[in-house]
Amino acid sequence: LHEALLRINTGHNIQFLIVGKINFCLSSKFKTKQFGLVKDSTLLNIILNAADAIIIPSREDNLPNVMIESLAVGTPIIGTPIGGINDLLVKDDKLGISSENTSPEKFAHAIDLFLRTKDSFKREYIHDFAMTNFDSHVIANQHINLYKNVLDSD
């Protein structure tokens, strides 16, 4: 992520809200606010709502909770083409942008592309998508149907 951020076009007014631990210092060309590990769901909700996008630079992941939480509040994703991140962003490019690969150059390109097109992402659409696909009732019903199908297959 650090190498990708150094390649971002500095013509944009960017501030990073950092949640969790990072093991590097961002370039002084960016304003930053570090929150560390956030356990308070209200504070996390405020941070996710304040962001124009959530950057998920994973090299290995499946379907990160932070991605679902971000979509639930209508915040688009900038992610790598890994696992569920890629599956979701390829399925619906109105949810965010996936980089072509995990290289710093391609990830920086995805961030720059988002910065140029961020007004095209509609928070209400993103929120509605999350509620339709990831609401706890929807997931519970999917599990119930899976169990029923397994039991009925005998």
Side-chain angles (χ1 to χ4, degrees):
L1 176 61
H2 185 248
E3 289 179 43
L5 297 178
L6 292 175
R7 299 169 192 269
I8 294 175
N9 179 348
T10 56
H12 301 286
N13 182 15
I14 300 172
Q15 178 175 9
F16 288 97
L17 306 177
I18 302 168
V19 175
K21 292 182 184 180
I22 61 170
N23 56 0
F24 60 85
C25 183
L26 286 178
S27 168
S28 61
K29 69 180 182 178
F30 301 118
K31 292 182 260 175
T32 62
K33 172 70 174 153
Q34 293 193 5
F35 292 92
L37 182 61
V38 176
K39 294 182 180 182
D40 180 342
S41 61
T42 302
L43 176 58
L44 182 59
N45 191 29
I46 291 168
I47 296 167
L48 293 174
N49 272 293
D52 290 329
I54 301 300
I55 298 175
I56 305 175
S58 299
R59 292 185 182 266
E60 290 183 22
D61 221 322
N62 186 17
L63 192 62
N65 284 341
V66 70
M67 183 170 83
I68 305 304
E69 293 163 343
S70 176
L71 296 173
V73 299
T75 304
I77 304 297
I78 303 168
T80 51
I82 304 297
I85 299 169
N86 189 57
D87 293 344
L88 209 53
L89 296 179
V90 166
K91 178 180 176 182
D92 191 338
D93 63 0
K94 296 177 191 159
L95 303 175
I97 295 174
S98 179
S99 61
E100 289 181 35
N101 59 47
T102 60
S103 73
E105 297 83 13
K106 295 298 183 182
F107 203 64
H109 175 73
I111 295 169
D112 277 329
L113 178 60
F114 175 82
L115 292 169
R116 290 191 313 272
T117 62
K118 68 182 181 179
D119 292 337
S120 68
F121 295 94
K122 305 302 177 202
R123 287 184 174 263
E124 185 175 346
Y125 174 85
I126 295 168
H127 167 77
D128 290 346
F129 177 91
M131 294 300 100
T132 300
N133 291 279
F134 299 110
D135 180 76
S136 60
H137 295 12
V138 171
I139 300 298
N141 284 330
Q142 289 174 348
H143 281 94
I144 290 168
N145 290 334
L146 173 65
Y147 290 131
K148 285 180 180 178
N149 288 336
V150 168
L151 292 173
D152 291 344
S153 67
D154 289 338

